[in-house]
């Protein structure tokens, strides 16, 4: 997520902090909903036939919404979850109070991951990386196909629910990792360039148990402009 996106992400939180100041914390926290579900930015059916409309609808309107609702319903337990920068929270979970750490990890992680994921997909985008990102992928993996194979392997190797990521690691090099549940790259000290949701809810209606088929077809909907932007920010 670039800085502008992060600001958008936090716009609700800023408004919320102002309200809290005016009305008094207790009242404001009982009523405010600082976290908002971002729109997809394209129609549910826009990624057909690769990702079906029903999956997109349920994934966004129900699964992602649940993480947002869980945050809003629990923000009074630790109001900083709505006011501190998301990347700062996710990259240092040890600083989150123990009583809400699991909640923040799962739901703020889920909110960040899905926001990143919707933006990383687009109908009719380029079919392959270009420019600096292409050069970096070729340098790190050999070529685009080998990088795709590494992501597929990470996604298939993730037992249960989680994500496969192309990240810029602490060493500033590209790497493929996977994370469990809703863990984000920031929790590993890395920055996400590409991330594919490999929870069953992301593919089961169309692909059933064939997670590998879903990952193969997912490459058709990647927004390479967004991936290039993520890479640029991650290496800045
Ligand atoms: Mn998901």
């Amino acid at each position: 997520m670039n800085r502008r996106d992060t600001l958008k992400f936090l716009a609700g939180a800023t408004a919320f902090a102002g309200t809290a100041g005016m009305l008094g914390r207790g009242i404001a926290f009982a009523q405010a909903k600082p976290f908002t579900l971002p729109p997809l930015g394209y129609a549910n059916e826009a990624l057909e036939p690769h990702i079906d409309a029903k999956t997109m609808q349920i994934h966004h309107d129900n699964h992602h919404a649940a993480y947002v609702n869980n945050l809003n319903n629990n923000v009074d337990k630790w109001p900083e979850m709505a006011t501190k920068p998301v990347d700062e929270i996710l990259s240092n979970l040890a600083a989150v109070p123990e009583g809400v750490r699991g909640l923040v990890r799962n739901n703020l992680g889920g909110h960040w991951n899905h926001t990143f994921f919707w933006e990383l997909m687009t109908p009719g985008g380029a079919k392959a990386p270009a420019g600096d990102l292409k050069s970096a992928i070729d340098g790190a993996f050999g070529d685009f196909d080998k990088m795709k194979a590494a992501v597929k392997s990470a996604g298939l190797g993730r037992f249960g629910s989680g994500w496969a990521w192309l990240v810029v690691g602490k060493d500033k090099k590209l790497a493929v990792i996977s994370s469990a549940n809703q863990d984000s790259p920031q929790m590993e000290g890395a920055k996400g360039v590409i991330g594919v949701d490999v929870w069953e809810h992301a593919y089961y209606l169309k692909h059933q148990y064939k997670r590998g088929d879903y990952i193969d077809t997912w490459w058709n909907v990647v927004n390479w402009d967004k991936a290039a932007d993520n890479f640029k920010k991650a290496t800045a």
Side-chain angles (χ1 to χ4, degrees):
M1 188 171 301
N2 64 34
R3 179 168 164 76
R4 197 189 318 155
D5 291 339
T6 304
L7 290 172
K8 270 194 291 184
F9 201 70
L10 290 170
T14 308
F16 163 76
T19 307
M22 280 189 290
L23 297 181
R25 293 189 145 215
I27 296 167
F29 289 151
Q31 297 175 342
K33 295 189 184 303
F35 295 96
T36 54
L37 181 65
L40 272 182
Y42 39 80
N44 288 330
E45 63 271 25
L47 306 181
E48 296 259 15
H50 309 292
I51 303 183
D52 61 287
K54 192 72 180 170
T55 294
M56 290 301 291
Q57 182 204 326
I58 294 171
H59 199 175
H60 178 269
D61 297 356
N62 298 93
H63 288 280
H64 188 173
Y67 304 123
V68 172
N69 291 337
N70 286 338
L71 292 168
N72 284 326
N73 291 338
N74 290 282
V75 68
D76 58 329
K77 293 176 183 164
W78 187 57
E80 286 86 341
M81 76 172 75
T83 56
K84 283 178 84 169
V86 177
D87 284 338
E88 189 181 319
I89 296 173
L90 296 181
S91 62
N92 187 14
L93 284 174
V96 177
E98 201 175 349
V100 293
R101 193 176 299 150
L103 182 138
V104 167
R105 179 178 199 146
N106 292 333
N107 294 287
L108 194 61
H111 184 27
W112 188 93
N113 289 349
H114 286 85
T115 302
F116 180 93
F117 188 55
W118 310 136
E119 292 178 352
L120 188 67
M121 296 188 288
T122 188
K127 293 298 170 209
D132 290 345
L133 178 55
K134 179 196 179 340
S135 302
I137 288 170
D138 290 348
F141 299 95
D143 59 33
F144 178 40
D145 283 342
K146 291 195 178 72
M147 186 276 279
K148 287 199 289 187
V151 170
K152 185 176 182 179
S153 177
L156 289 174
R158 169 53 54 188
F159 186 78
S161 297
W163 292 72
W165 305 94
L166 175 70
V167 300
V168 173
K170 285 181 219 169
D171 58 4
K172 292 282 178 188
K173 290 181 180 162
L174 279 178
V176 167
I177 63 171
S178 78
S179 66
N181 304 312
Q182 293 300 350
D183 283 3
S184 304
Q186 298 94 312
M187 298 179 196
E188 303 279 326
K191 294 179 178 174
V193 177
I194 285 172
V196 55
D197 187 342
V198 299
W199 285 55
E200 286 184 346
H201 68 222
Y203 61 87
Y204 210 84
L205 290 180
K206 183 176 173 75
H207 298 282
Q208 292 85 46
Y209 59 91
K210 291 172 277 192
R211 185 184 286 186
D213 287 2
Y214 154 71
I215 295 172
D216 286 342
T217 203
W218 181 77
W219 293 106
N220 289 293
V221 299
V222 171
N223 182 343
W224 286 105
D225 290 337
K226 184 65 185 171
D229 191 46
N230 292 339
F231 178 68
K232 192 175 171 188
K233 300 284 167 20
T235 50

